[in-house]
Amino acid sequence: MSVHSRGIKPTLTADDGALAKAPPMPRHLSPQAKSEWRRIMPQLIARQIITKGDLAGVEHYCTCVGIVRQIEEERAAAGGAIDVKLFGVLNRAAQTARQLAAEYGLTPTSRTRIGNARQGSDDADNPLDV
């Protein structure tokens, strides 16, 4: 019986070229996307998993989250009515944001993968280390 890794994501580890401080926020982002950038960037920098090459993907993630939030704000302002066309856009943006979030360790499962990669770097006196 052969062992395959199809569908299994590799463990995330700290990158040698990781950014040490947050880069400037792209000016063209919507206010909602800028809010997401400010929320996630400190986490990504602290985990040392974001490099200059990853910034476009992070920007796309923030854009998708911004689209979802903007559509939700507009829907709430319109009395909660659901526009079928906007729902399709919202659905695709939410799906893309979720996929990109998993790539950058922003979901519970992907954070667990990061945690597993760093277990060996903790102090030896960790009472939870089995």
Side-chain angles (χ1 to χ4, degrees):
M1 181 176 233
S2 66
V3 178
H4 64 82
S5 60
R6 186 179 62 210
I8 299 172
K9 293 187 178 187
T11 302
L12 294 174
T13 58
D15 196 305
D16 292 338
L19 297 176
K21 67 177 195 168
M25 185 182 324
R27 294 182 195 172
H28 66 275
L29 292 178
S30 69
Q32 296 88 346
K34 286 180 180 179
S35 173
E36 185 65 8
W37 180 279
R38 284 188 295 272
R39 187 184 75 80
I40 66 163
M41 196 51 71
Q43 296 173 41
L44 296 174
I45 298 298
R47 290 186 196 134
Q48 299 177 333
I49 58 169
I50 189 91
T51 66
K52 276 189 170 183
D54 299 320
L55 292 178
V58 173
E59 185 178 327
H60 293 324
Y61 164 76
C62 292
T63 299
C64 289
V65 170
I67 289 169
V68 170
R69 289 183 183 161
Q70 183 178 356
I71 291 172
E72 281 299 314
E73 289 171 5
E74 291 173 6
R75 185 185 64 79
I82 296 174
D83 180 338
V84 175
K85 290 180 184 176
L86 283 181
F87 179 76
V89 172
L90 181 142
N91 193 30
R92 286 186 296 278
Q95 181 180 9
T96 302
R98 180 189 52 79
Q99 291 168 336
L100 288 169
E103 291 295 319
Y104 297 110
L106 298 171
T107 64
T109 303
S110 60
R111 279 194 304 275
T112 300
R113 289 189 295 131
I114 294 170
N116 288 341
R118 293 191 177 178
Q119 282 179 354
S121 64
D122 286 344
D123 294 333
D125 62 348
N126 184 349
L128 300 176
D129 194 13
V130 180

